[in-house]
Short mmCIF file of all heavy atoms in Angstrom, two decimals:
data_model
loop_
_atom_site.label_atom_id
_atom_site.label_comp_id
_atom_site.label_asym_id
_atom_site.label_seq_id
_atom_site.Cartn_x
_atom_site.Cartn_y
_atom_site.Cartn_z
N GLU A 81 85.09 82.74 99.73
CA GLU A 81 85.80 83.46 98.69
C GLU A 81 86.07 84.84 99.25
O GLU A 81 85.14 85.59 99.52
CB GLU A 81 84.92 83.53 97.44
CG GLU A 81 85.70 83.92 96.20
CD GLU A 81 84.77 84.16 95.03
OE1 GLU A 81 84.23 83.17 94.51
OE2 GLU A 81 84.58 85.33 94.66
N VAL A 82 87.33 85.16 99.45
CA VAL A 82 87.67 86.39 100.16
C VAL A 82 88.12 87.45 99.16
O VAL A 82 88.99 87.20 98.33
CB VAL A 82 88.79 86.11 101.18
CG1 VAL A 82 89.10 87.35 101.99
CG2 VAL A 82 88.40 84.95 102.09
N ARG A 83 87.51 88.60 99.24
CA ARG A 83 87.93 89.72 98.38
C ARG A 83 88.36 90.88 99.26
O ARG A 83 87.81 91.10 100.33
CB ARG A 83 86.77 90.16 97.48
CG ARG A 83 86.45 89.15 96.37
CD ARG A 83 85.26 89.59 95.56
NE ARG A 83 84.07 89.79 96.39
CZ ARG A 83 83.38 90.92 96.48
NH1 ARG A 83 83.74 91.97 95.76
NH2 ARG A 83 82.32 91.00 97.25
N ILE A 84 89.33 91.66 98.76
CA ILE A 84 89.77 92.85 99.49
C ILE A 84 88.88 94.03 99.07
O ILE A 84 88.86 94.40 97.90
CB ILE A 84 91.25 93.18 99.18
CG1 ILE A 84 92.14 91.98 99.51
CG2 ILE A 84 91.69 94.43 99.94
CD1 ILE A 84 92.17 91.58 100.97
N LEU A 85 88.15 94.59 100.01
CA LEU A 85 87.27 95.72 99.70
C LEU A 85 87.99 97.06 99.94
O LEU A 85 87.71 98.04 99.29
CB LEU A 85 86.02 95.67 100.58
CG LEU A 85 85.14 94.43 100.43
CD1 LEU A 85 83.92 94.52 101.33
CD2 LEU A 85 84.71 94.24 98.97
N LYS A 86 88.89 97.06 100.93
CA LYS A 86 89.67 98.27 101.22
C LYS A 86 91.07 97.83 101.59
O LYS A 86 91.24 97.06 102.52
CB LYS A 86 89.03 99.04 102.38
CG LYS A 86 89.76 100.31 102.75
CD LYS A 86 89.62 100.65 104.22
CE LYS A 86 90.59 101.74 104.66
NZ LYS A 86 92.01 101.33 104.63
N ASP A 87 92.04 98.33 100.84
CA ASP A 87 93.42 97.93 101.11
C ASP A 87 94.05 98.86 102.14
O ASP A 87 93.50 99.90 102.49
CB ASP A 87 94.23 97.95 99.80
CG ASP A 87 95.41 96.99 99.83
OD1 ASP A 87 95.84 96.61 100.94
OD2 ASP A 87 95.91 96.63 98.75
N LEU A 88 95.24 98.46 102.62
CA LEU A 88 96.00 99.29 103.55
C LEU A 88 96.33 100.63 102.92
O LEU A 88 96.46 100.73 101.70
CB LEU A 88 97.32 98.59 103.91
CG LEU A 88 97.24 97.23 104.58
CD1 LEU A 88 98.65 96.66 104.77
CD2 LEU A 88 96.53 97.34 105.92
N ARG A 89 96.53 101.65 103.74
CA ARG A 89 96.98 102.94 103.24
C ARG A 89 98.50 102.99 103.14
O ARG A 89 99.06 103.67 102.29
CB ARG A 89 96.51 104.08 104.17
CG ARG A 89 95.02 104.34 104.11
CD ARG A 89 94.58 104.87 102.76
NE ARG A 89 95.15 106.17 102.45
CZ ARG A 89 94.62 107.33 102.79
NH1 ARG A 89 93.47 107.35 103.43
NH2 ARG A 89 95.20 108.46 102.49
N GLY A 90 99.16 102.26 104.05
CA GLY A 90 100.62 102.36 104.13
C GLY A 90 101.35 101.14 103.61
O GLY A 90 100.75 100.10 103.34
N GLU A 91 102.68 101.31 103.47
CA GLU A 91 103.55 100.20 103.06
C GLU A 91 103.91 99.37 104.29
O GLU A 91 104.01 99.90 105.40
CB GLU A 91 104.85 100.77 102.47
CG GLU A 91 104.66 101.77 101.35
CD GLU A 91 104.21 101.09 100.07
OE1 GLU A 91 104.60 99.94 99.85
OE2 GLU A 91 103.43 101.72 99.32
N ILE A 92 104.14 98.09 104.08
CA ILE A 92 104.54 97.23 105.21
C ILE A 92 105.88 96.53 104.97
O ILE A 92 106.36 95.80 105.83
CB ILE A 92 103.45 96.18 105.55
CG1 ILE A 92 103.12 95.32 104.32
CG2 ILE A 92 102.21 96.86 106.10
CD1 ILE A 92 102.31 94.08 104.66
N GLU A 93 106.47 96.75 103.79
CA GLU A 93 107.73 96.07 103.48
C GLU A 93 108.81 96.41 104.52
O GLU A 93 109.02 97.57 104.85
CB GLU A 93 108.23 96.47 102.08
CG GLU A 93 109.46 95.68 101.68
CD GLU A 93 109.90 95.92 100.24
OE1 GLU A 93 109.11 96.50 99.45
OE2 GLU A 93 111.03 95.53 99.92
N GLY A 94 109.42 95.37 105.06
CA GLY A 94 110.49 95.56 106.04
C GLY A 94 110.02 96.00 107.42
O GLY A 94 110.82 96.37 108.27
N ARG A 95 108.70 95.96 107.64
CA ARG A 95 108.12 96.44 108.90
C ARG A 95 107.66 95.29 109.80
O ARG A 95 107.35 94.21 109.33
CB ARG A 95 106.89 97.32 108.61
CG ARG A 95 107.21 98.59 107.89
CD ARG A 95 108.06 99.45 108.76
NE ARG A 95 108.50 100.66 108.07
CZ ARG A 95 109.40 101.49 108.57
NH1 ARG A 95 109.94 101.25 109.75
NH2 ARG A 95 109.76 102.55 107.91
N ASP A 96 107.57 95.61 111.09
CA ASP A 96 106.92 94.70 112.03
C ASP A 96 105.42 94.96 111.94
O ASP A 96 104.98 96.11 112.09
CB ASP A 96 107.40 95.00 113.46
CG ASP A 96 108.84 94.57 113.67
OD1 ASP A 96 109.26 93.56 113.07
OD2 ASP A 96 109.55 95.27 114.42
N ILE A 97 104.65 93.90 111.68
CA ILE A 97 103.21 94.09 111.60
C ILE A 97 102.47 93.10 112.51
O ILE A 97 102.91 91.97 112.73
CB ILE A 97 102.66 94.00 110.15
CG1 ILE A 97 102.75 92.59 109.58
CG2 ILE A 97 103.36 94.99 109.24
CD1 ILE A 97 102.04 92.45 108.22
N LEU A 98 101.34 93.58 113.02
CA LEU A 98 100.46 92.74 113.83
C LEU A 98 99.07 92.81 113.21
O LEU A 98 98.47 93.89 113.12
CB LEU A 98 100.40 93.25 115.28
CG LEU A 98 99.42 92.50 116.18
CD1 LEU A 98 99.92 91.09 116.49
CD2 LEU A 98 99.18 93.28 117.48
N VAL A 99 98.57 91.68 112.76
CA VAL A 99 97.24 91.61 112.16
C VAL A 99 96.24 91.31 113.28
O VAL A 99 96.42 90.36 114.05
CB VAL A 99 97.18 90.52 111.07
CG1 VAL A 99 95.78 90.41 110.48
CG2 VAL A 99 98.21 90.80 109.98
N VAL A 100 95.21 92.13 113.38
CA VAL A 100 94.22 91.97 114.44
C VAL A 100 92.87 91.57 113.84
O VAL A 100 92.30 92.31 113.04
CB VAL A 100 94.08 93.28 115.26
CG1 VAL A 100 92.99 93.13 116.32
CG2 VAL A 100 95.42 93.63 115.92
N GLU A 101 92.40 90.40 114.23
CA GLU A 101 91.16 89.85 113.68
C GLU A 101 90.17 89.62 114.81
O GLU A 101 90.56 89.36 115.95
CB GLU A 101 91.50 88.54 112.93
CG GLU A 101 90.34 87.72 112.42
CD GLU A 101 89.49 88.40 111.36
OE1 GLU A 101 89.07 89.55 111.58
OE2 GLU A 101 89.20 87.75 110.34
N ASP A 102 88.88 89.70 114.49
CA ASP A 102 87.88 89.44 115.52
C ASP A 102 87.72 87.94 115.80
O ASP A 102 87.89 87.50 116.92
CB ASP A 102 86.52 90.09 115.17
CG ASP A 102 85.99 89.67 113.79
OD1 ASP A 102 86.70 88.96 113.03
OD2 ASP A 102 84.85 90.06 113.46
N ILE A 103 87.45 87.18 114.73
CA ILE A 103 87.22 85.74 114.91
C ILE A 103 87.90 84.96 113.80
O ILE A 103 87.78 85.33 112.63
CB ILE A 103 85.72 85.35 114.80
CG1 ILE A 103 84.85 86.24 115.66
CG2 ILE A 103 85.51 83.90 115.17
CD1 ILE A 103 83.39 85.87 115.59
N VAL A 104 88.57 83.89 114.16
CA VAL A 104 89.01 82.94 113.14
C VAL A 104 88.01 81.79 113.17
O VAL A 104 87.86 81.11 114.19
CB VAL A 104 90.44 82.42 113.39
CG1 VAL A 104 90.91 81.61 112.19
CG2 VAL A 104 91.39 83.56 113.67
N ASP A 105 87.33 81.62 112.05
CA ASP A 105 86.25 80.63 111.97
C ASP A 105 86.70 79.51 111.03
O ASP A 105 87.47 78.65 111.42
CB ASP A 105 85.00 81.38 111.48
CG ASP A 105 83.74 80.53 111.50
OD1 ASP A 105 83.55 79.77 112.44
OD2 ASP A 105 82.93 80.65 110.56
N THR A 106 86.29 79.53 109.76
CA THR A 106 86.79 78.52 108.82
C THR A 106 88.28 78.73 108.55
O THR A 106 88.99 77.80 108.17
CB THR A 106 86.05 78.57 107.47
OG1 THR A 106 86.30 79.84 106.85
CG2 THR A 106 84.56 78.38 107.66
N GLY A 107 88.74 79.97 108.68
CA GLY A 107 90.15 80.29 108.46
C GLY A 107 90.42 80.86 107.08
O GLY A 107 91.53 81.33 106.81
N HIS A 108 89.42 80.87 106.20
CA HIS A 108 89.64 81.34 104.83
C HIS A 108 90.07 82.81 104.80
O HIS A 108 90.98 83.18 104.05
CB HIS A 108 88.38 81.15 103.98
CG HIS A 108 88.11 79.71 103.65
ND1 HIS A 108 88.76 79.04 102.64
CD2 HIS A 108 87.27 78.81 104.21
CE1 HIS A 108 88.33 77.78 102.59
NE2 HIS A 108 87.43 77.62 103.54
#
Side-chain angles (χ1 to χ4, degrees):
E81 195 187 288
V82 184
R83 289 177 303 122
I84 303 297
L85 300 181
K86 181 210 167 293
D87 206 340
L88 300 176
R89 289 294 296 272
E91 306 287 328
I92 57 167
E93 186 174 346
R95 295 295 175 189
D96 289 326
I97 68 172
L98 176 71
V99 178
V100 177
E101 173 64 309
D102 55 354
I103 311 181
V104 189
D105 187 40
T106 63
H108 288 280

